[in-house]
Amino acid sequence: MEQEMPGTPAGPERGRVEWAVVPSAIGPLLLAATERGLVSVVFHADPRVRERALDRLAGALGADLVELPSGRLAEPIRQLAAYFDGSLRSFDVKLDWSLVTGFNRQVLRELATTVPFGTVVGYGDLARRVGRPAAAQAVGAAMGANPLPVVVPCHRVVESDGGIGGFGGGLETKRQLLALEGVLPEPLF
């Protein structure tokens, strides 16, 4: 994929998406932002994952991609670092919801605004909160489609029987995030 150089203006009909890979306690994260806000967070952003994610973003957004770890990304990077060092409990960054629509967007917005740090919610309970009590499986699908994990905390959605449920970043990553928030104990080793 051809990458635009920082500072090069985007084409007249295309937007610009700034992206960067940043370290975190759960491994490298790829962050991407449009002029509207943070649009994507991708787990385990090794070079292979990064290239696939950037290809998907370019296609989905019809945008020029610019590797730039400042500007639009400065505040999301700062807040994620504070979250992982334990000094931030609530994200306050602009979000671009353009990669998710309909029911999925409704569920993710509900999650982002009503399930605080250190708490969990069941798939069925979240379905009830958005007025679709029989849609627990659809809530699970919405969590899997979350383009903004960690910031929109899909790791806080668990099974009603006490299981932690699935997670796009892998179950170990979900366990680490829940432990960071005090929901699960830290691993012994």
Side-chain angles (χ1 to χ4, degrees), residues 101 133 154 168 183:
T101 60
C154 54
V183 175

Side-chain angles (χ1 to χ4, degrees), residues 75-161:
E75 189 60 16
I77 289 170
R78 187 194 70 71
Q79 288 191 30
L80 278 162
Y83 170 80
F84 284 112
D85 77 16
S87 64
L88 181 85
R89 292 178 165 250
S90 178
F91 289 96
D92 183 24
V93 295
K94 289 181 6 184
L95 300 176
D96 179 341
W97 293 94
S98 62
L99 294 177
V100 63
T101 60
F103 178 76
N104 289 358
R105 183 186 289 191
Q106 180 185 11
V107 168
L108 292 170
R109 282 179 177 241
E110 178 72 16
L111 172 65
T113 57
T114 67
V115 183
F117 182 98
T119 65
V120 294
V121 64
Y123 294 96
D125 187 38
L126 195 50
R128 283 187 288 284
R129 290 182 188 193
V130 297
R132 302 262 312 269
Q137 285 186 320
V139 166
M143 296 306 104
N146 181 4
L148 296 159
V150 182
V151 177
V152 176
C154 54
H155 60 278
R156 297 179 189 154
V157 183
V158 298
E159 296 174 345
S160 60
D161 66 2

Side-chain angles (χ1 to χ4, degrees), residues 6-95:
T8 303
E13 284 135 31
R14 293 166 58 105
R16 185 174 84 169
V17 175
E18 295 178 7
W19 66 273
V21 174
V22 297
S24 80
I26 56 171
L29 299 173
L30 182 143
L31 307 179
T34 67
E35 71 278 354
R36 289 186 222 145
L38 188 65
V39 72
S40 181
V41 176
V42 178
F43 293 115
H44 315 298
D46 63 31
R48 183 179 50 83
V49 169
R50 181 189 71 222
E51 290 306 316
R52 281 198 326 255
L54 292 173
D55 285 344
R56 281 193 308 271
L57 275 172
L61 298 173
D64 293 320
L65 301 174
V66 181
E67 184 175 10
L68 194 64
S70 61
R72 298 176 187 164
L73 291 173
E75 189 60 16
I77 289 170
R78 187 194 70 71
Q79 288 191 30
L80 278 162
Y83 170 80
F84 284 112
D85 77 16
S87 64
L88 181 85
R89 292 178 165 250
S90 178
F91 289 96
D92 183 24
V93 295
K94 289 181 6 184
L95 300 176

